[in-house]
Each structure stands twice: as structure tokens, then as C-alpha cells.
Amino acid sequence: MNYSSELFSKEAIAEGTMAFHFEKPHGFAWKAGQSIDLTLVGPAETDAEGNTRAFSIASAPYERDIMIATRMRETAFKRVLRSADLGMKVDIAGPFGSFTLHEKSSRPAIMLVGGIGITPFLSMMKDATERKLPHRIYLYYSNRRPEDAPFLDLLNGLRDRNPRITFIPTMTDMENSKTPWSGERGYITRDMIERHAPDRADAIYYSAGPPGMVAAMRKVVNEMGVGDDDIRVEEFSGY
Ligand SMILES: Cc1cc2nc3c(=O)[nH]c(=O)nc-3n(C[C@H](O)[C@H](O)[C@H](O)COP(=O)(O)OP(=O)(O)OC[C@H]3O[C@@H](n4cnc5c(N)ncnc54)[C@H](O)[C@@H]3O)c2cc1C
């Protein structure tokens, strides 16, 4: 389905990273984890990649907005977004995809995420918390530094509200950070997963983000003896 919408707010959420909030069009319904195609209408500039990009929806279905979050690279699409006036019109197609939390709540969810790949998981975590879903959720979230980590405070808040969530943020480049950090350091590894998720037998594993990150996470999980049937991924092609 195609809808028109407009931008009603935007803000920086980490270094070089912004969130954009669009009005939820009348009749637009989706499941946490799904994505949209966002098209700029009559943008001031365009390039060979065109005026449409896919984005996971980072807000949850109970909220009033459609939020996307993205790394602000120097492409025509993102320059237009960055400088957009509130009220800018966009077209939204979707929702797309089946990257949603599994139904069988006795199986834990283990989410292995880097950077901007957090967007569908933020939606799933908000949704699971709001609806008091019984799933055990382990969210491993890797960034270079706290300054680069989108939605860190929001995710800590969800962890505080939902006792079924275990949140394991990890930083890979604290040497270049000015922010104090007492949490995990280094890449998400088998050892890190096993230390925090003792009841991981029968878990379903999730990863989303740039294809390189998703491939690395799949390799870690395969090496733990988990088959592809129990791994669900969303690749952000274009990174
Ligand atoms: C299902 C799905 C969900 C997605 N969800 C999200 C999301 O939540 N958030 C999000 O940010 N993205 C998401 N993406 C990716 C998104 O659609 C864009 O492709 C991405 O944000 C890059 O857009 P761009 O305008 O920066 O680059 P594009 O203009 O699309 O880039 C085109 C090509 O140029 C390369 N390129 C461009 N600029 C640079 C640069 N500065 N450095 C290195 N290479 C460069 C790119 O790697 C790519 O090969 C999703 C994609 C899919 C398929």
C-alpha cells in the first residue's frame, strides 16, 4: 500500500546519526520489526540512487509516529532529509517483511546487533514491553563508543521497565571515547553470548544491519552449533 505523510520532528540521536518522525497515515498498520520504502517528493537534489530508500520502522505500532533512524552520509537523499523543513511531504510504501518477533514465547530471543541495525529491535522491544509479552529477550548491542550508539538511554529505560529483557551493550573503541563506560567491551563473541544467556537452549537468534555485520553474527551463531532455521536476519543493503 502507498501512503502520503509528512515530517513532524527530527533530532540527532548519536554522532552522525539522526531520527526522523513522520505522521502515521490513516489506516497504516504494521508489526514491530517491519520496514517501509520512503520516497522524497520533489526533492531539491537527487542522485543516481534515486529518491527512495528502505528503512526499518524504529517506533512501535502503538505510537503515533513512524520513526526512522539513519547514519547521515553525504548522499543527495540524506542531505535533503537532514535539511528538511518540518511539514515536508513524503510517500511511504509498506509495511514490508516478516522480520518480527516469533510467536512461541517459551523460546528466548537472542538479538545480535551493531549500530544502526538497532532500528527494528527498538520497535520490537517497545512493543514487547508495552504488550507485556512473555518472551525472554537478550539484546547484545555493539558500537564503537557510547557517543555512536543510537538509543542507548531509551534501551536502558526499556530494560528497567521490562524484567524479561537482558540488555548487553558493548563498546569496541573506548580508547577514543570521552564518556565513562563500565559495561562490556569488544565485539560480540560466542563467549559473551554464553556468559549472559544461560537459558539460551532453544533460542531464536536475530541480527539486522549492514550485510558485513549480519554475516559476522551468523558465523558466530553457526559456530555455536545453531542451524540457519533458528537464525533470522534483515540485511540493510545499501550500506
Ligand atoms: C529492509 C531494509 C531496512 C533498512 N533499514 C535501515 C535503517 O533502519 N536505517 C538505515 O540507515 N538504513 C536502513 N537500510 C538501508 C537504507 O535503505 C540505505 O540503503 C542506507 O541508509 C544507505 O543510504 P545512503 O543514501 O546513505 O546511500 P546510497 O546512496 O543508497 O548508497 C549507494 C551506494 O554507495 C555507497 N556509499 C554511499 N555513501 C557512502 C559513504 N559515505 N561511504 C561508503 N559508501 C557509501 C553505499 O555503500 C552503496 O553501495 C535498510 C535497508 C533495507 C533493505
Side-chain angles (χ1 to χ4, degrees):
M1 289 279 285
N2 289 293
Y3 303 85
S4 49
S5 177
E6 61 182 58
L7 181 69
F8 74 85
S9 69
K10 58 180 180 177
E11 75 267 359
I13 51 166
E15 272 189 29
T17 311
M18 291 183 73
F20 298 87
H21 303 260
F22 298 93
E23 297 287 353
K24 182 157 63 176
H26 186 69
F28 184 86
W30 83 95
K31 288 188 174 169
Q34 286 190 297
S35 63
I36 53 167
D37 281 349
L38 181 77
T39 300
L40 304 173
V41 180
E45 61 167 321
T46 188
D47 62 19
E49 294 294 325
N51 298 330
T52 302
R53 298 287 187 282
F55 292 101
S56 298
I57 306 173
S59 46
Y62 67 86
E63 296 181 294
R64 71 171 268 231
D65 60 333
I66 295 182
M67 185 208 342
I68 63 155
T70 190
R71 300 293 195 203
M72 299 311 296
R73 302 198 303 200
E74 281 302 324
T75 66
F77 186 96
K78 291 186 176 173
R79 276 194 297 272
V80 171
L81 260 190
R82 183 194 288 118
S83 60
D85 293 329
L86 303 187
M88 180 186 74
K89 302 271 186 246
V90 295
D91 287 338
I92 288 175
F96 297 118
S98 53
F99 192 69
T100 55
L101 191 62
H102 57 273
E103 300 257 312
K104 194 174 174 197
S105 61
S106 59
R107 303 187 69 178
I110 297 188
M111 300 166 170
L112 309 175
V113 189
I116 199 61
I118 195 63
T119 48
F121 298 106
L122 178 62
S123 181
M124 288 186 215
M125 308 274 273
K126 287 180 181 172
D127 187 55
T129 301
E130 178 73 13
R131 293 166 59 206
K132 299 189 165 44
L133 295 182
H135 301 66
R136 288 283 297 129
I137 298 175
Y138 296 90
L139 176 66
Y140 297 79
Y141 184 32
S142 163
N143 283 274
R144 286 195 301 272
R145 306 167 305 157
E147 296 91 315
D148 304 306
F151 305 119
L152 205 49
D153 292 344
L154 208 46
L155 292 162
N156 278 322
L158 287 165
R159 185 263 332 270
D160 291 346
R161 276 175 61 199
N162 184 345
R164 293 171 293 282
I165 291 175
T166 303
F167 180 40
I168 309 110
T170 179
M171 300 299 154
T172 60
D173 188 20
M174 281 311 294
E175 295 71 26
N176 291 309
S177 173
K178 295 187 173 65
T179 309
W181 183 252
S182 57
E184 287 280 0
R185 292 180 186 222
Y187 292 108
I188 300 168
T189 58
R190 174 180 186 159
D191 168 69
M192 193 187 292
I193 297 169
E194 292 180 348
R195 270 190 291 117
H196 291 279
D199 63 343
R200 66 190 171 279
D202 207 30
I204 299 196
Y205 290 78
Y206 294 81
S207 188
M213 171 76 198
V214 168
M217 289 299 99
R218 185 192 288 280
K219 187 159 176 279
V220 168
V221 176
N222 282 152
E223 283 169 6
M224 292 168 63
V226 177
D228 283 342
D229 278 355
D230 294 330
I231 306 175
R232 301 185 184 179
V233 302
E234 182 87 294
E235 287 192 359
F236 290 3
S237 53
Y239 273 112

